[in-house]
Amino acid sequence: MDKRRVIIRHSLASIIALAVFGGSRFLYNIVVARRYGVEVLGEVNSLISQAFLLAGFLAFFSVGLGKFTAEFLGRGEEEKIKSITGVSYAFPLLGLLLVPLNFQLAVLSVLRALQLTFRSFIYGLHRGEIYAYAVLLGFLGFLVGFLDGVLMSYYLLLGVISGFGLAYSMKFLGKPGVEEVKGLVKYSSWAFLGGIAGIFLIQAPYFLTEKLAGSRVAGAVSAMLSTSFMLSYMPQVLQSAIVPLYAFDHGRGRREEVRALAEEATTLLSLLTALAVFLMLLLSNLLGNIFRIEFEWPFLLSLLAVEVYVVFNPLINVLSATEYIKRSAIYSLIGALVSLLLWLPLIPRIHETGTFLGLLAGYSIIFLLVLAETRRRFGVKIASIRPFVLAVPLQAISIKLPVLGLIAYLLIEYKDLRRAVRLFLRGIRS
């Protein structure tokens, strides 16, 4: 298998899928903010975030399904894939038991869990382009949904993707295998803890801010954080391709190739994310006008928090895709706990700034722990985060002088940027 071709093909498919899916929340927030106001924006994002957090519980087997699917392919044991798909797709349906308590929360969480399961499975099969097709179809439903109610867009977006995924996956459903399911459960237990911690850090800022500081502050957080989290779709573009490859190489005992791939992915993401942060700072006044909210220092903090998340993403996936899943789960839980302990006193006092400071602290703790662990276990070089380290001080001054910061960074990182472009173009031609 030509790994570079897999990465490029899946990354191109993921660029389409994740740009559309990630852009949908950004677009949704703009429409809701302008049509219904900031308070409604805060309330509806609180509900969606709670549903997405609950979906993390319902998608219990999703990460393990993708990992073992890729490993079975690497070992040439394709028939074993059918032994783990049925239980993975059935578990999200347990969320329907919540319909009598909260219909909106139950339906959104089930659809989101099915979407997550399908996404992990299809990338484990190295068929990421199929997921791109599903998301494009779902986005058409998303646009139609604006004609009827504030949540209809999300019902149709997730519903179409989930329906497509179930229909496509039917041919892979088989009788559960005892040994395979045991392995899936064992792995998923740790992956679940790490996954829930990660989802909590992404979704909790919305609903905790609404609970602790009110709908208007939550609306401001929703506008700035949903914009900043656009950065998080870059690691997901690459992650969707490289995580199955981590598992594939791990299944064949190729530790050195895992290390090299982790370093290259980290450097590339650090560089591209840093450039994206500079561009967002340049556009901060325009973004504020779109949402009718002032974007200043809190926006910089939200960008830095998400940037840290992006940089450690390829590294924590090295741990979760190999035999160190417990480590990645524990580190994610520690980061989530740090954020929660800071959010509780800070959000009521300093509002948006408290939300973003807590998030930045949690992600920074995970980053340091994961960097040390991957260096110890795989020999990952600290130099792989060089573009990130150089960018942060320049970004700090860019809230006032964004053009100057961007120019300085381009001059410093010109060689790395040119190398990244050449590598990508070579991958497309291969």
Side-chain angles (χ1 to χ4, degrees):
M1 179 177 65
D2 187 333
K3 289 193 292 183
R4 177 168 288 148
R5 292 186 65 182
V6 171
I7 292 174
I8 296 298
R9 189 178 77 249
H10 283 196
S11 294
L12 290 174
S14 298
I15 286 171
I16 298 171
L18 293 170
V20 171
F21 193 88
S24 66
R25 189 156 191 172
F26 178 70
L27 175 61
Y28 181 79
N29 285 339
I30 292 175
V31 173
V32 172
R34 298 183 70 88
R35 182 182 294 180
Y36 300 102
V38 176
E39 289 190 19
V40 174
L41 176 65
E43 292 170 0
V44 75
N45 267 294
S46 177
L47 175 64
I48 292 171
S49 297
Q50 290 174 66
F52 279 26
L53 179 61
L54 178 58
F57 290 85
L58 298 176
F60 180 82
F61 294 113
S62 61
V63 176
L65 176 64
K67 169 191 161 57
F68 283 108
T69 295
E71 280 200 15
F72 291 151
L73 283 177
R75 296 172 187 166
E77 300 172 340
E78 289 85 350
E79 280 301 312
K80 288 188 176 181
I81 295 173
K82 295 182 179 180
S83 65
I84 59 174
T85 51
V87 65
S88 300
Y89 275 103
F91 201 80
L93 302 179
L94 293 176
L96 295 176
L97 297 174
L98 298 175
V99 167
L101 300 176
N102 189 320
F103 177 84
Q104 294 173 326
L105 184 67
V107 173
L108 283 173
S109 62
V110 169
L111 293 177
R112 171 64 169 173
L114 289 171
Q115 175 249 324
L116 291 173
T117 302
F118 172 56
R119 185 182 70 184
S120 182
F121 177 59
I122 207 68
Y123 279 104
L125 286 174
H126 302 309
R127 297 179 185 177
E129 63 276 8
I130 302 298
Y131 182 67
Y133 301 148
V135 171
L136 289 174
L137 289 174
F139 188 68
L140 295 178
F142 174 79
L143 295 176
V144 173
F146 284 123
L147 301 176
D148 184 24
V150 72
L151 284 173
M152 185 56 68
S153 290
Y154 264 96
Y155 289 143
L156 293 178
L157 172 65
L158 296 173
V160 171
I161 296 173
S162 299
F164 184 101
L166 286 171
Y168 183 86
S169 302
M170 290 297 293
K171 59 186 176 182
F172 296 100
L173 299 181
K175 182 179 178 181
V178 176
E179 292 302 317
E180 289 79 15
V181 171
K182 280 184 179 179
L184 180 65
V185 171
K186 182 179 179 181
Y187 176 87
S188 296
S189 298
W190 286 103
F192 166 75
L193 292 176
I196 282 296
I199 294 171
F200 176 79
L201 285 168
I202 292 174
Q203 303 299 339
Y206 298 102
F207 65 80
L208 277 182
T209 303
E210 194 259 342
K211 303 299 182 186
L212 297 173
S215 299
R216 182 165 292 277
V217 177
V221 167
S222 297
M224 285 184 271
L225 199 54
S226 66
T227 303
S228 299
F229 267 124
M230 293 286 286
L231 299 173
S232 72
Y233 293 96
M234 285 194 290
Q236 290 187 48
V237 167
L238 198 59
Q239 170 186 324
S240 299
I242 65 174
V243 169
L245 292 176
Y246 284 151
F248 185 90
D249 284 335
H250 176 62
R252 294 195 168 185
R254 300 171 177 172
R255 293 178 66 86
E256 184 60 26
E257 294 192 25
V258 171
R259 179 199 61 78
L261 181 57
E263 289 179 350
E264 190 168 330
T266 301
T267 299
L268 178 62
L269 281 177
S270 298
L271 178 61
L272 295 180
T273 305
L275 292 173
V277 169
F278 283 114
L279 291 175
M280 285 191 172
L281 290 171
L282 275 170
L283 298 173
S284 60
N285 289 334
L286 174 61
L287 292 168
N289 291 333
I290 291 174
F291 284 102
R292 298 173 181 170
I293 295 171
E294 189 173 324
F295 277 39
E296 285 196 350
W297 285 106
F299 182 52
L300 173 62
L301 290 175
S302 71
L303 285 172
L304 290 176
V306 178
E307 185 176 20
V308 172
Y309 163 77
V310 172
V311 173
F312 74 67
N313 200 269
L315 300 178
I316 198 169
N317 282 315
V318 171
L319 302 177
S320 62
T322 56
E323 69 262 37
Y324 304 110
I325 180 66
K326 293 182 182 180
R327 296 285 181 174
S328 68
I330 291 170
Y331 297 156
S332 295
L333 287 170
I334 292 172
L337 181 60
V338 168
S339 290
L340 178 61
L341 291 176
L342 289 174
W343 280 331
L344 293 176
L346 290 181
I347 292 176
R349 295 179 183 178
I350 52 178
H351 298 163
E352 302 98 310
T353 302
T355 301
F356 301 138
L357 281 175
L359 187 63
L360 177 59
Y363 278 147
S364 297
I365 290 295
I366 299 173
F367 173 49
L368 294 174
L369 292 172
V370 166
L371 181 62
E373 187 70 19
T374 52
R375 179 173 172 77
R376 183 161 66 98
R377 301 290 184 180
F378 293 92
V380 171
K381 297 176 183 176
I382 295 180
S384 61
I385 64 168
R386 175 180 173 275
F388 164 74
V389 173
L390 292 174
V392 170
L394 294 173
Q395 289 163 351
I397 68 169
S398 291
I399 193 68
K400 295 297 184 183
L401 301 168
V403 176
L404 181 61
L406 177 59
I407 292 174
Y409 190 72
L410 287 174
L411 291 174
I412 294 171
E413 285 295 309
Y414 174 73
K415 290 183 179 179
D416 284 342
L417 184 60
R418 187 174 63 177
R419 175 179 171 274
V421 171
R422 284 204 309 265
L423 182 65
F424 185 76
L425 292 177
R426 193 186 315 142
I428 292 177
R429 297 191 193 103
S430 62

